[in-house]
């Protein structure tokens, strides 16, 4: 793509690229902090990170950006759907957000979330919501302040928070997609619970030596197209993917010798994120065109490779023999169908990050249904545990025995990440919609997976999603790629079809 002839544009992009370079140094230090940093280096690392984030913030809010944007926004070549316009649009969005938040609010948020994460760890250990309550009250108050400062037009305060993770999305649109999905899933979970099919869980809880899991996971990530000459796979307590920049994408996973799915599906999930990062246009690094469209779109990529590919029967038609070889003799007498059923067990449980493909979305929707009234003021923080448990019982038929496995289980709220959760379920919906579109264009993907061919899907995602970066907001990208608006239907159909067959439902 040729850049428009405009000195202001050139200056703006140059400024932004340097800022991104600086931010990428912080990302690399952040990755190191989660993987290899010696304990005694923590204090130095905190100082390094604070210095870098201060420098990034200063560059992001420089008044010069405002001047350049004002010049460009009057120029018609930056007012359409072109790549250059997308860059300008996103610089404006980030700039507005950053400059509307006062230094005082930013500092207060950073101070309170650092302390409240400590309070959260203790509260969770003691299974005692009361000690965390005052912290959550502070965070909710600060996030409301943030929403007011950012602004939300005719929408809801929650929209301003959501926009930070899923630009352009609103609480109302999320609600419209979630409501029918929730009704369908609650029913599906109940029908599965009543099924006589009981997959054999012991298949996935036998002994899977970590060294063997490590090599198998790497083999699987390589097979789906993750490029190890432009990335790494390491271990971390909380798995993540960090796209440092072109040619450098870091994945992490964790191993449990007696629980096979954790490391492998974690690796495929993070490799899905990694493929997105590796597929971004490297010449556009640091600009919207070289950046993911949203967290939801990012999650659509990870979930697609984890669930639509990795947990499919076709994937294991190809991988069952390598797995039997790698983990011999554990899987010697296990059939493909029994293995496929075991890695797809559906069972209501308390912890979101351990939930299966069907119940997972209910965990996410529950959080959205609490967050929104918390921010609007319709729900008091003191009432969170009771409402959590009540809603959990309604959706999953279980009541958490204590808050550690209930409303205290996630780090998000203590870190000030309110508005983040919906992106997980949006990702699942986007994934189903993209997968259908890919299938329509490429033909039967199962047949390809069974032959170990994953490149056609990867290349399709690359062209249609990765290389487009953030040219479009998520809902527009969805429309451009699939011709459809956001809908729960493809995900619902996929889950009913897959689990209906697995559990013998008609
Ligand atoms: Zn993810």
């Amino acid at each position: 793509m040729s850049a428009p002839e405009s000195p202001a544009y050139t200056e703006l992009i140059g400024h932004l690229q340097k800022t991104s370079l600086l931010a990428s140094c912080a990302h690399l230090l952040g990755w190191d902090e989660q993987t290899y940093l010696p304990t005694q280096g923590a204090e130095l690392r905190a100082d390094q990170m604070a210095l870098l984030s201060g420098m990034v913030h200063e560059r992001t809010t420089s008044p010069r950006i405002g001047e350049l944007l004002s010049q460009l926004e009057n120029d018609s070549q930056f007012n359409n759907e072109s790549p250059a316009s997308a860059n300008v649009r996103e610089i404006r969005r980030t700039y507005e957000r950053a400059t509307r938040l006062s230094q005082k609010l930013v500092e207060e948020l950073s101070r309170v979330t650092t302390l409240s994460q400590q309070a959260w760890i203790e509260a969770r250990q003691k299974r005692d919501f009361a000690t965390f309550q005052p912290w959550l009250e502070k965070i909710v108050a600060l996030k409301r302040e943030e929403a007011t400062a950012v602004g939300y037009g005719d929408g809801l305060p929650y929209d301003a928070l959501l926009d930070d993770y899923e630009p352009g999305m609103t609480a109302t649109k999320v609600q419209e997609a979630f409501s029918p999905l929730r009704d369908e899933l609650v029913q599906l979970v109940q029908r599965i619970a009543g099924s006589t099919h009981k997959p054999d869980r012991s298949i996935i809880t036998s002994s899977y030596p970590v060294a063997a899991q490590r090599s198998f996971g790497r083999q699987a990530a390589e097979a789906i197209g993750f490029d190890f000459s432009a990335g790494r796979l390491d271990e971390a307590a909380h798995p993540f993917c960090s796209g440092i920049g072109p040619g450098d994408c870091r994945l992490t996973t964790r191993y449990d010798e007696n629980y096979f799915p954790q490391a492998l599906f974690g690796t495929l999930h993070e490799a899905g994120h990694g493929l997105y990062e590796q597929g971004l246009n490297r010449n556009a690094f640091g600009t919207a065109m070289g950046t993911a469209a949203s967290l939801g779109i990012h999650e659509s990529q990870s979930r697609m490779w984890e669930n639509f590919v990795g947990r499919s029967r076709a994937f294991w038609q190809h991988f069952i023999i390598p797995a039997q070889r790698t983990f011999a003799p554990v899987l010697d007498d296990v059939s493909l169908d029994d293995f496929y059923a075991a890695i797809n067990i559906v069972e209501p449980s308390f912890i979101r990050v351990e939930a299966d493909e069907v119940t997972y979305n209910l965990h996410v929707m529950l959080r959205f249904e609490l967050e929104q009234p918390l921010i609007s003021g319709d729900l008091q923080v003191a009432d969170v545990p009771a409402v959590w448990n009540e809603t959990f019982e309604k959706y999953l038929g279980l009541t958490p025995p204590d808050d550690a496995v209930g409303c205290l289980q996630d780090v998000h709220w203590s870190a000030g990440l309110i508005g983040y959760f919906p992106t997980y379920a949006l990702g699942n919906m986007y994934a189903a919609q993209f997968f259908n579109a890919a299938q329509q264009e490429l033909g039967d993907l199962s047949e390809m997976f069974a032959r170990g061919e994953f490149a056609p899907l990867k290349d399709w995602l690359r062209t249609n999603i990765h290389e487009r970066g953030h040219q479009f907001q998520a809902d527009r990208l969805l429309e451009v790629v699939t011709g459809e608006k956001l809908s729960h239907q493809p995900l619902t159909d996929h889950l009913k079809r897959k689990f209906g067959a697995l559990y013998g439902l008609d």
Side-chain angles (χ1 to χ4, degrees):
M1 89 200 72
S2 64
E5 301 278 325
S6 154
Y9 183 74
T10 309
E11 184 183 339
L12 188 61
I13 296 298
H15 179 86
L16 194 68
Q17 284 177 322
K18 277 203 182 122
T19 310
S20 298
L21 215 46
L22 200 55
S24 77
C25 299
H27 294 154
L28 186 56
L29 291 182
W31 166 83
D32 178 69
E33 194 179 331
Q34 305 288 322
T35 49
Y36 296 110
L37 182 73
T39 358
Q40 288 199 33
E43 214 177 310
L44 173 69
R45 183 55 41 89
D47 290 344
Q48 293 168 323
M49 296 288 269
L51 175 66
L52 284 172
S53 73
M55 289 164 80
V56 168
H57 181 74
E58 205 181 306
R59 292 186 60 87
T60 312
T61 52
S62 155
R64 181 69 185 144
I65 296 181
E67 292 166 23
L68 294 167
L69 281 171
S70 308
Q71 287 180 39
L72 295 173
E73 282 161 348
N74 290 323
D75 184 336
S76 62
Q77 62 175 332
F78 298 103
N79 277 316
N80 47 50
E81 279 197 328
S82 71
S85 304
N87 286 338
V88 170
R89 178 199 75 215
E90 284 308 306
I91 298 168
R92 169 60 80 189
R93 199 178 63 81
T94 315
Y95 180 72
E96 284 299 314
R97 194 167 186 104
T99 51
R100 284 181 187 187
L101 302 178
S102 68
Q103 190 69 23
K104 188 169 156 274
L105 179 58
V106 172
E107 279 168 13
E108 185 63 359
L109 263 168
S110 148
R111 192 185 68 84
V112 169
T113 53
T114 306
L115 294 172
S116 72
Q117 284 179 70
Q118 284 310 311
W120 165 74
I121 290 170
E122 275 170 42
R124 190 171 69 153
Q125 262 162 13
K126 293 188 193 141
R127 301 162 191 276
D128 178 21
F129 181 78
T131 57
F132 181 57
Q133 187 184 320
W135 290 101
L136 188 54
E137 280 165 353
K138 279 190 192 120
I139 286 172
V140 167
L142 288 169
K143 294 307 275 188
R144 265 192 220 141
E145 225 180 289
E146 180 182 325
T148 307
V150 170
Y152 42 86
D154 303 331
L156 300 164
Y158 191 81
D159 295 346
L161 304 181
L162 193 55
D163 193 72
D164 204 12
Y165 313 109
E166 200 65 14
M169 187 53 69
T170 65
T172 308
K173 281 196 252 180
V174 170
Q175 189 69 61
E176 280 169 14
F178 279 9
S179 293
L181 178 65
R182 182 191 53 220
D183 297 345
E184 294 270 14
L185 292 185
V186 168
Q187 263 194 35
L188 182 57
V189 170
Q190 285 168 359
R191 290 174 68 213
I192 290 172
S195 159
T196 52
H197 290 229
K198 300 290 174 209
D200 179 4
R201 182 181 288 275
S202 73
I203 293 172
I204 49 174
T205 55
S206 314
S207 173
Y208 291 90
V210 169
Q213 286 194 49
R214 204 175 275 129
S215 86
F216 190 75
R218 191 184 159 104
Q219 195 188 330
E222 244 165 5
I224 65 167
F226 185 78
D227 181 355
F228 278 92
S229 72
R232 295 181 53 90
L233 173 60
D234 294 271
E235 270 175 73
H238 304 284
F240 61 91
C241 159
S242 184
I244 311 291
D248 192 354
C249 176
R250 314 279 172 119
L251 313 178
T252 59
T253 191
R254 59 179 163 187
Y255 299 93
D256 180 342
E257 176 158 353
N258 298 112
Y259 188 60
F260 175 75
Q262 177 156 291
L264 180 72
F265 295 113
T267 300
L268 288 172
H269 179 97
E270 302 307 338
H273 282 303
L275 286 175
Y276 193 0
E277 292 291 325
Q278 290 186 336
L280 294 169
N281 178 355
R282 56 167 60 221
N283 299 319
F285 172 67
T287 70
M289 287 304 294
T291 310
S294 72
L295 286 188
I297 298 293
H298 229 307
E299 197 66 6
S300 77
Q301 303 304 291
S302 58
R303 287 275 157 183
M304 187 181 299
W305 289 104
E306 176 192 355
N307 291 331
F308 288 76
V309 183
R311 289 185 205 266
S312 72
R313 191 177 181 283
F315 182 89
W316 290 98
Q317 274 178 272
H318 176 70
F319 271 109
I320 191 80
I321 290 172
Q324 283 169 334
R325 227 179 275 140
T326 308
F327 300 107
V330 175
L331 293 172
D332 286 4
D333 302 318
V334 176
S335 73
L336 170 63
D337 282 314
D338 287 346
F339 185 78
Y340 172 58
I343 57 165
N344 282 296
I345 291 175
V346 174
E347 202 164 49
S349 60
F350 296 115
I351 305 295
R352 173 185 60 87
V353 295
E354 293 164 9
D356 56 77
E357 202 180 338
V358 178
T359 57
Y360 186 83
N361 296 292
L362 291 167
H363 288 261
V364 173
M365 290 188 265
L366 157 80
R367 286 151 177 78
F368 169 68
E369 273 157 46
L370 265 75
E371 283 186 344
Q372 213 203 325
L374 270 177
I375 294 299
S376 67
D378 293 329
L379 174 66
Q380 297 308 305
V381 170
D383 298 327
V384 165
V387 177
W388 179 290
N389 292 351
E390 203 179 290
T391 316
F392 204 89
E393 165 74 40
K394 233 178 6 193
Y395 289 0
L396 290 152
L398 300 173
T399 305
D402 59 59
D403 295 332
V405 294
C407 64
L408 285 175
Q409 65 181 272
D410 301 300
V411 67
H412 299 60
W413 291 345
S414 71
L417 300 174
I418 298 180
Y420 190 113
F421 281 120
T423 66
Y424 293 127
L426 287 170
N428 286 325
M429 290 192 269
Y430 296 147
Q433 293 186 268
F434 288 142
F435 194 79
N436 279 358
Q439 186 130 264
Q440 256 166 36
E441 213 172 304
L442 300 172
D444 193 344
L445 291 170
S446 299
E447 281 177 15
M448 298 177 200
F449 299 163
R451 291 194 297 265
E453 292 167 16
F454 304 101
L457 177 61
K458 187 203 78 181
D459 293 340
W460 186 90
L461 294 170
R462 196 139 281 186
T463 314
N464 285 282
I465 296 161
H466 307 170
E467 285 172 357
R468 284 194 162 117
H470 197 172
Q471 182 169 10
F472 308 111
Q473 305 291 40
D475 52 352
R476 177 77 181 125
L477 176 66
L478 190 66
E479 219 178 320
V480 168
V481 177
T482 69
E484 291 168 9
K485 297 221 180 283
L486 174 65
S487 161
H488 75 95
Q489 203 64 55
L491 178 62
T492 307
D493 291 346
H494 157 77
L495 293 173
K496 278 179 162 171
R497 198 167 46 234
K498 174 174 174 181
F499 292 94
L502 272 163
Y503 280 91
L505 315 172
D506 46 320

